[in-house]
Amino acid sequence: MNILAIESSCDETAASVVRNGREVLSNVVASQIEVHALYGGVVPEIASRAHTEAIGRVVSESLDGAGLTMKDIDAVAVTNRPGLIGALLVGVSFAKGLAYSANLPLIPVHHIRGHVAANYVFFDGKEQKLLEPPFTALVMSGGHTSLINVNAYTDFECIGATRDDAAGEAFDKVARLMGLEYPGGAKMDALARQGNDRAIDFPRAAVKDCPYDFSFSGLKTAAINYLHTASQKGEEICKEDVAASFTRAITGAVNIRLERLFESETLFRSRKLVLAGGVSANSHLRTSIASLCGKNNVEFYCPPKYLCGDNAVMIGSQAYYEYINGTSDFFDYSLNAYATADVSF
Ligand code: KG4
Ligand code: ZN
């Protein structure tokens, strides 16, 4: 089954053709980073406009890249939740038009479910360790930091989430204050490699009675205060040390929850941990979680770096499983977009 998938929930316009949920026939991503970098963050109206301008070309490149035409496509998939509403609507409207005109099923996909599915695909054309549910996913993106039990391909159970900021958001905010260009996460990653991760003792918050929930706003504020105080006193800061210490605080907060989870016989029977979302490209996080999993005899999966950020491959992969499990009416051309949505539905 060839699925043409579209993703436009934030600042990447992406389209891809995925066969049977696992085989990538094409992967086209048009990034808007340059436009938003001028403003230090994503400007929703500009994002919608840029999606509108790019989507036709991106979809047609994805068909060309796969060496296919619409006649070879069996279904159209699209991210319809959660995300920037104007941005989502561009992808949803385009997908609706395409599916309707070709009389094809239209498969709505939850963006976070998609991030998880990035772990199913055979990347670089190679078949690798085949991931199948059940497993636990740690999804870390610009808007989410969640621990999710994926009981089956379409059965998601959230066991912990951030109470305030997502890790990606905290990375971006601190990076911005240090004068790094948007999006700062990847730049923090590179800087942290040259710094001393014990130079600054940033706090790690726990959420009372919720062992798997996260909270990063205290850490973000502590880093902002550190930078402001230094600037008011006219002191030079070592950006590398701030990046390394901040990264260590995030990694530590994640690892403490994972260690707890690994001991739980009820919540972690699968003994498989899957990392997903833009922040999962972070080299420090990948290394430290891989090592923690190794020590605890846990199977560890994470996508290749180019499938960590937003793309349509992950949407095409999850769409296949949504389709074969019949999770909705796939001929509902009145499909809508939603800015917020629970991953369980
Ligand atoms: O999943 P994603 O591409 O978009 C959303 O769904 O939000 O995640 C974007 C987030 C941004 O906050 C970005 O700074 C962060 O992922 N990110 C990173 C790295 N690469 C991207 N954060 C830390 N280290 C990285 N290497
Ligand atoms: Zn994302």
Side-chain angles (χ1 to χ4, degrees):
M1 177 178 193
N2 293 331
I3 297 182
L4 170 61
I6 296 173
E7 152 67 42
S8 70
S9 65
C10 189
D11 58 350
E12 329 272 2
T13 319
S16 166
V17 182
V18 180
R19 181 170 290 162
N20 297 334
R22 304 253 173 186
E23 196 186 333
V24 182
L25 302 191
S26 65
N27 175 21
V28 182
V29 182
S31 175
Q32 304 175 3
I33 282 178
E34 266 179 39
V35 192
H36 300 296
L38 294 171
Y39 306 95
V42 178
V43 183
E45 290 78 6
I46 294 178
S48 313
R49 174 64 62 96
H51 283 307
T52 310
E53 285 168 3
I55 197 157
R57 171 179 58 81
V58 167
V59 168
S60 113
E61 278 179 22
S62 76
L63 283 168
D64 292 348
L68 302 176
T69 68
M70 278 310 287
K71 288 199 183 75
D72 307 302
I73 299 297
D74 301 299
V76 176
V78 65
T79 308
N80 78 323
R81 65 199 192 280
L84 299 173
I85 193 67
L88 284 167
L89 279 168
V90 176
V92 167
S93 308
F94 196 93
K96 274 157 72 166
L98 206 57
Y100 181 66
S101 63
N103 194 28
L104 289 176
L106 174 67
I107 311 172
V109 178
H110 189 296
H111 183 75
I112 298 301
R113 288 182 177 219
H115 270 303
V116 172
N119 285 279
Y120 296 141
V121 300
F122 306 145
F123 45 89
D124 304 326
K126 282 179 256 152
E127 194 161 330
Q128 53 257 300
K129 204 166 53 160
L130 188 82
L131 173 66
E132 285 176 327
F135 56 81
T136 300
L138 169 62
V139 184
M140 299 176 78
S141 66
H144 290 77
T145 304
S146 306
L147 269 167
I148 301 165
N149 267 349
V150 182
N151 301 321
Y153 285 105
T154 56
D155 177 2
F156 287 61
E157 183 192 349
C158 192
I159 56 175
T162 182
R163 292 299 186 99
D164 37 58
D165 296 333
E169 209 174 326
F171 264 120
D172 291 344
K173 186 72 198 257
V174 173
R176 185 176 172 175
L177 235 85
M178 289 206 292
L180 308 177
E181 211 173 67
Y182 174 84
K187 288 167 192 98
M188 291 281 279
D189 189 352
L191 267 187
R193 249 171 263 143
Q194 292 139 37
N196 171 8
D197 66 1
R198 281 160 206 269
I200 309 151
D201 193 17
F202 286 130
R204 288 169 212 183
V207 181
K208 195 166 176 259
D209 298 329
C210 296
Y212 303 111
D213 278 356
F214 298 86
S215 166
F216 293 114
S217 80
L219 166 64
K220 183 185 79 178
T221 309
I224 292 172
N225 286 345
Y226 177 88
L227 294 168
H228 279 160
T229 308
S231 126
Q232 279 159 0
K233 289 186 183 163
E235 288 170 2
E236 276 277 315
I237 56 143
C238 175
K239 288 184 186 175
E240 290 80 0
D241 284 355
V242 176
S245 304
F246 185 80
T247 304
R248 181 165 166 260
I250 299 250
T251 315
V254 166
N255 284 351
I256 204 164
R257 283 153 179 85
L258 291 180
E259 277 172 341
R260 209 171 276 151
L261 178 73
F262 293 168
E263 280 167 21
S264 165
E265 278 171 23
T266 44
L267 287 174
F268 197 59
R269 257 176 270 142
S270 71
R271 307 221 53 85
K272 278 191 255 177
L273 183 79
V274 168
L275 194 55
V279 182
S280 65
N282 187 278
S283 53
H284 311 273
L285 199 70
R286 288 163 85 98
T287 313
S288 93
I289 297 181
S291 129
L292 190 70
C293 286
K295 280 187 208 137
N296 287 276
N297 217 8
V298 168
E299 269 186 60
F300 176 58
Y301 298 79
C302 62
K305 289 197 180 177
Y306 68 91
L307 290 181
C308 290
D310 291 348
N311 63 82
V313 168
M314 64 189 204
I315 303 303
S317 174
Q318 181 61 23
Y320 174 73
Y321 295 103
E322 300 285 339
Y323 188 73
I324 58 175
N325 283 290
T327 51
S328 45
D329 169 6
F330 299 115
F331 283 88
D332 177 12
Y333 297 134
S334 68
L335 183 73
N336 209 346
Y338 303 93
T340 55
D342 192 317
V343 75
S344 319
F345 299 105

